[in-house]
Amino acid sequence: MSSSTSKLLIPLHVQYIQSLGESKDDLLYHLTAHLRMNAIYWGLTALNIMQHKDALSRTEMIDFVVSCWDDEAGAFGAHPDHDAHLHATLSAIQILIMQDALDRVDVDRVVKFILSLQQPSGVFAGDQWGEVDTRFLYCAVNALSLLGRLHELDVEKTVGYLRQCRNFDGGFGAVAGAESHAAMVFVCTAALAILDRLDEIDQETLGWWLAERQLPNGGLNGRPEKLEDVCYSFWVLSSMSILKKIRWVDADKLIGFILSAQETEHGGIADRPGDQPDVFHTHFGVAGLSLLGYPGLADLDPVYCMPAKIIERMGLRRDWEALPRKTE
Amino acid sequence: MHGVKRVRYSREALEAKKQKEQAKLKEYLSLNDDVLAKRNAGDWSKDAFDLTTRVLHANAEFYTVWNYRRDILINSIFPNSSPSEVHDRIGDELSVTTSLLKQHPKVYGIWNHRRWCLANIPDGPSDTDLDGWRKTIWNKELYVVEKMLDADARNFHAWNYRRYVLANMPMKRPAQAELVYTTRKIEANFSNFSAWHQRSKVLTSLWEGGQLDPHKSKEEEFDLVKNAMYTDPGDQSVWIYHRWLVGAGNAYDILQREIASIQELLDEQPDSKWCMESLVFYKRLLLRHHARQLSEADRLSLTQECLRLLTGLQDIDPNRRQRYEDLAADVKKIN
């Protein structure tokens, strides 16, 4: 590893995130339009954690979010003229909260949209077309909580579905019967944390399964006998923070792995060393580093995946534990 | 973006690449604008439908275009087609998604469209055989998903789809057939935890449904696992499955027998982390659930043994040192 990657290159990553909106002559920019709202949430959250929350224009961002409103459905799409979707809607709400502009949302209509997507089994669909999984359940629970409308949710029904997704290894899958996967462990654990129902989790077993995600090179994988990937730094660590077991992985080695996946010329973090960076892995790499107490970063709330200060101010903080912030 | 290697270009090469990309970019942008304009205008024509095919081939993740395509099918194509034509159309849709899945096996939207197709097969071919088309098409799905799992045996989209097909197909397949399938996948590769997971689900349903004798079947599983453990004691898939097989550890004799068997393997492979970790776990189950069957001396020696193993684990598996320290503190506290 070269010396230039032994530190988080904050100014370079800030520049990288700023440059993303300027790559309109890049085909990839347009091929990922269906993720634009999520990408802005990832970029903005990473900037907040790196203490550069003003690096992108607030007005432009809010205008963009509002322009993605799908008035027929009463929720947000990922891009202007794209259909409303639960995932884009959660990202929109998170962005507007970080920008202190939630007054731009018709909360009643969004709540109606979200609640309409709950299925008889308790799981949520992503939109009217009916694709269901625990990711959408988490989006719904998170968004309702951020909007202060969690009391309108049928909690027993929701928890009932999560219980069906729990496996003998302590983890959770995307749907009932599915194999445990670290990203689904995060969405289910965080949803249960928001619903104050962590008693549904076999914490000892899940803590073991999560700790076993760390590979000899320090990186984390998402399932047994799979490769490491920077994004699991967040999926696994957030779940461990919620279970207060984040000390069960080797933090220094994981920090080393995340830093080694940085692109040192133009910024950004990739899934693993030597690969092309993107805003998704940049965000989840920075998020992981924050939970590991990396110096100079702001605290990240692992339940909502937003700046901890904002979640605390809203009175939504759940009981979790990250590693103490180190000094330089 | 996953697994895309970073390439360093010279300024000239980068410029050349950009030039080449410009043509593609222009083409994609015009497709994108056209399809959204037609969608916004509520155009449900054949042209619009064909356009969605082109866009989805360029970008299979464009969920709005999948939605638009289904809108055209439901509102325009299906109502103007005979049941037999709808049946053929569903066949075409399935072919489109098959070819897209070959290129993009992990795109949620393609799998999702496939599910939607299955839910929209019309009754037929005749009044006396209303389920005929459904049976034929659903049966073929198992073949398709097996091809996908041959290409990537850990693709969770494919496994989830497989479970969906098995649970919803009109003519159910005997669950034993699925057990045979997991055996095949596991024997091809012991590391395939997706197959072990599926096996745990299938066996549970066979035991609960009285189709297999749980006692006899568990013994066969213990044999299979033992074989896998000896083949590669470092493969965690097998150890996780073993933990499921032992379960809560209520069967005292099985617990003792498995501890002895793992101890034997540890004697051969003195640095095996999974042997040590599992021994701690099962010895603690003994202490927790069978304390009354153990003498004071047995309990003391089990406790000492756990502490000794946990100290060893801290050395050979330092990544998880803190977990082993916490477990040791717990062992001391309880006993």
Side-chain angles (χ1 to χ4, degrees):
Chain A
M1 200 188 303
S2 71
S3 61
S4 59
T5 53
S6 63
K7 271 203 156 118
L8 182 66
L9 307 169
I10 292 180
L12 200 62
H13 298 320
V14 171
Q15 265 178 43
Y16 169 76
I17 293 171
Q18 285 173 321
S19 76
L20 291 170
E22 290 147 21
S23 40
K24 289 182 178 129
D25 59 345
D26 190 345
L27 180 60
L28 193 61
Y29 176 85
H30 299 280
L31 286 175
T32 52
H34 62 280
L35 288 172
R36 190 74 71 240
M37 185 74 85
N38 312 111
I40 293 172
Y41 154 74
W42 295 324
L44 180 61
T45 310
L47 289 173
N48 267 276
I49 299 306
M50 294 189 290
Q51 322 251 31
H52 280 75
K53 71 184 182 67
D54 297 324
L56 294 173
S57 157
R58 177 176 182 272
T59 330
E60 271 178 41
M61 192 181 293
I62 295 170
D63 287 348
F64 176 83
V65 171
V66 172
S67 73
C68 296
W69 177 255
D70 176 347
D71 198 48
E72 205 180 312
F76 292 95
H79 191 274
D81 281 337
H82 289 209
D83 288 344
H85 195 279
L86 190 46
H87 191 197
T89 300
L90 172 63
S91 289
I93 292 167
Q94 289 174 311
I95 295 166
L96 292 175
I97 287 175
M98 283 189 269
Q99 296 289 20
D100 197 15
L102 198 58
D103 56 335
R104 303 292 296 273
V105 181
D106 184 340
V107 172
D108 287 338
R109 287 203 69 195
V110 170
V111 168
K112 204 173 149 201
F113 170 82
I114 297 172
L115 291 172
S116 76
L117 295 173
Q118 188 163 34
Q119 309 298 303
S121 68
V123 72
F124 278 76
D127 61 21
Q128 55 148 328
W129 292 99
E131 182 187 6
V132 296
D133 74 33
T134 47
R135 292 174 306 151
F136 305 139
L137 184 151
Y138 168 73
C139 289
V141 169
N142 185 344
L144 288 172
S145 167
L146 289 175
L147 295 173
R149 303 287 285 269
L150 203 54
H151 56 275
E152 293 182 42
L153 175 74
D154 185 337
V155 173
E156 280 316 312
K157 196 158 115 178
T158 310
V159 173
Y161 189 78
L162 291 171
R163 202 178 293 137
Q164 283 187 54
C165 295
R166 194 178 54 197
N167 292 313
F168 72 87
D169 52 26
F172 294 85
V175 287
E179 179 187 354
S180 298
H181 181 294
M184 312 310 163
V185 169
F186 158 71
V187 292
C188 294
T189 303
L192 288 168
I194 292 172
L195 298 170
D196 286 322
R197 292 296 293 273
L198 289 178
D199 57 307
E200 292 288 339
I201 297 178
D202 177 350
Q203 303 198 9
E204 198 62 30
T205 307
L206 181 52
W208 160 69
W209 188 87
L210 288 165
E212 291 299 341
R213 295 308 104 236
Q214 189 163 37
L215 296 167
N217 71 359
L220 306 178
N221 64 14
R223 290 184 283 159
E225 303 296 331
K226 295 275 290 176
L227 283 178
E228 70 284 355
D229 182 322
V230 161
C231 62
Y232 294 117
S233 309
F234 177 75
W235 310 126
V236 173
L237 288 179
S238 56
S239 308
M240 293 184 109
S241 300
I242 294 168
L243 302 180
K244 299 191 180 172
K245 293 191 184 334
I246 196 167
R247 287 181 169 78
W248 284 10
V249 293
D250 186 321
D252 289 338
K253 277 174 91 173
L254 178 52
I255 289 174
F257 171 73
I258 299 172
L259 294 178
S260 73
Q262 296 182 101
E263 207 276 5
T264 55
E265 206 175 324
H266 307 287
I269 302 176
D271 58 348
R272 57 182 73 96
D275 283 358
Q276 195 73 24
D278 58 66
V279 67
F280 174 88
H281 289 94
T282 305
H283 162 63
F284 286 114
V286 169
L289 290 173
S290 172
L291 293 174
L292 292 168
Y294 192 86
L297 296 178
D299 291 346
L300 175 94
D301 184 294
V303 175
Y304 293 89
C305 197
M306 283 171 65
K309 238 185 355 203
I310 295 177
I311 297 300
E312 264 164 49
R313 206 163 50 218
M314 294 174 77
L316 295 175
R317 193 191 194 282
R318 295 299 189 265
D319 194 17
W320 50 265
E321 201 178 271
L323 291 181
R325 184 79 40 219
K326 292 177 195 150
T327 45
E328 298 272 0
Chain B
M1 209 182 319
H2 285 104
V4 181
K5 283 275 164 247
R6 195 150 66 220
V7 191
R8 230 177 248 271
Y9 293 102
S10 66
R11 191 181 292 268
E12 294 77 22
L14 196 66
E15 209 38 58
K17 184 176 168 277
K18 266 217 166 120
Q19 285 300 326
K20 219 171 134 190
E21 216 185 76
Q22 283 309 307
K24 267 187 166 172
L25 174 63
K26 229 175 120 189
E27 191 191 335
Y28 181 73
L29 284 182
S30 107
L31 277 177
N32 179 77
D33 294 348
D34 281 358
V35 82
L36 290 179
K38 284 195 195 307
R39 164 194 173 271
N40 292 347
D43 180 345
W44 290 335
S45 65
K46 170 91 174 56
D47 277 356
F49 183 80
D50 291 341
L51 185 59
T52 65
T53 312
R54 290 179 60 201
V55 175
L56 290 168
H57 273 103
N59 185 2
E61 294 188 47
F62 204 154
Y63 70 91
T64 303
V65 177
W66 282 114
N67 297 346
Y68 178 34
R69 183 178 181 87
R70 286 186 285 264
D71 262 332
I72 301 174
L73 284 166
I74 295 172
N75 295 303
S76 162
I77 296 180
F78 290 171
N80 295 308
S81 307
S82 68
S84 159
E85 284 165 345
V86 173
H87 164 266
D88 294 349
R89 180 64 76 172
I90 293 281
D92 294 346
E93 287 302 290
L94 289 170
S95 303
V96 168
T97 64
T98 305
S99 82
L100 286 173
L101 279 176
K102 280 183 191 154
Q103 299 166 58
H104 315 283
K106 293 180 181 177
V107 170
Y108 286 94
I110 310 175
W111 290 104
N112 184 40
H113 188 65
R114 215 168 166 95
R115 285 188 176 86
W116 180 86
C117 291
L118 295 185
N120 281 279
I121 305 166
D123 290 347
S126 63
D127 287 347
T128 52
D129 187 11
L130 291 175
D131 261 343
W133 282 333
R134 267 188 290 274
K135 282 180 188 161
T136 318
I137 294 178
W138 279 83
N139 284 343
K140 266 195 231 152
E141 287 309 280
L142 275 185
Y143 173 78
V144 173
V145 81
E146 273 175 34
K147 284 274 163 226
M148 296 300 294
L149 287 173
D150 286 345
D152 175 4
R154 298 299 304 275
N155 183 344
F156 72 81
H157 299 269
W159 279 105
N160 289 350
Y161 188 74
R162 181 176 183 87
R163 279 181 283 269
Y164 166 81
V165 170
L166 287 170
N168 294 291
M169 60 200 301
M171 207 166 43
K172 297 277 181 299
R173 224 176 45 140
Q176 259 99 351
E178 189 59 6
L179 191 63
V180 172
Y181 181 70
T182 64
T183 310
R184 184 146 64 80
K185 295 309 263 185
I186 288 167
E187 282 173 351
N189 182 2
F190 281 141
S191 300
N192 184 352
F193 185 73
S194 305
W196 289 107
H197 166 85
Q198 177 77 337
R199 193 172 180 86
S200 77
K201 298 284 175 191
V202 175
L203 282 173
T204 304
S205 88
L206 285 169
W207 296 340
E208 283 171 358
Q211 291 158 276
L212 264 187
D213 169 39
H215 179 73
K216 190 164 160 274
S217 153
K218 267 188 195 171
E219 288 306 306
E220 285 165 10
E221 292 306 295
F222 276 118
D223 283 343
L224 174 69
V225 171
K226 193 171 175 180
N227 182 16
M229 277 176 185
Y230 273 80
T231 308
D232 181 4
D235 189 323
Q236 59 175 267
S237 305
V238 183
W239 293 97
I240 297 174
Y241 186 76
H242 188 260
R243 204 157 286 193
W244 170 71
L245 217 43
V246 173
N250 295 326
Y252 177 76
D253 293 342
I254 291 182
L255 208 45
Q256 287 286 22
R257 183 192 70 195
E258 291 306 302
I259 287 173
S261 156
I262 297 169
Q263 184 61 53
E264 214 174 288
L265 180 55
L266 181 61
D267 292 342
E268 272 180 40
Q269 311 258 348
D271 283 338
S272 165
K273 170 216 159 154
W274 281 98
C275 285
M276 293 164 76
E277 209 271 343
S278 302
L279 281 176
V280 172
F281 185 79
Y282 296 132
K283 283 174 196 247
R284 291 185 72 208
L285 280 187
L286 269 186
L287 285 165
R288 235 182 271 171
H289 299 318
H290 304 281
R292 274 189 301 174
Q293 274 159 277
L294 301 164
S295 68
E296 178 74 35
D298 285 344
R299 289 201 296 270
L300 192 66
S301 111
L302 279 169
T303 306
Q304 293 304 330
E305 190 56 15
C306 284
L307 293 175
R308 198 181 59 77
L309 286 163
L310 286 165
T311 309
L313 280 163
Q314 288 180 39
D315 290 335
I316 62 161
D317 187 24
N319 280 3
R320 283 159 280 270
R321 168 182 291 271
Q322 187 63 50
R323 174 165 181 262
Y324 301 129
E325 280 179 23
D326 289 357
L327 290 184
D330 211 39
V331 169
K332 282 184 201 153
K333 197 166 62 192
I334 293 172
N335 304 290

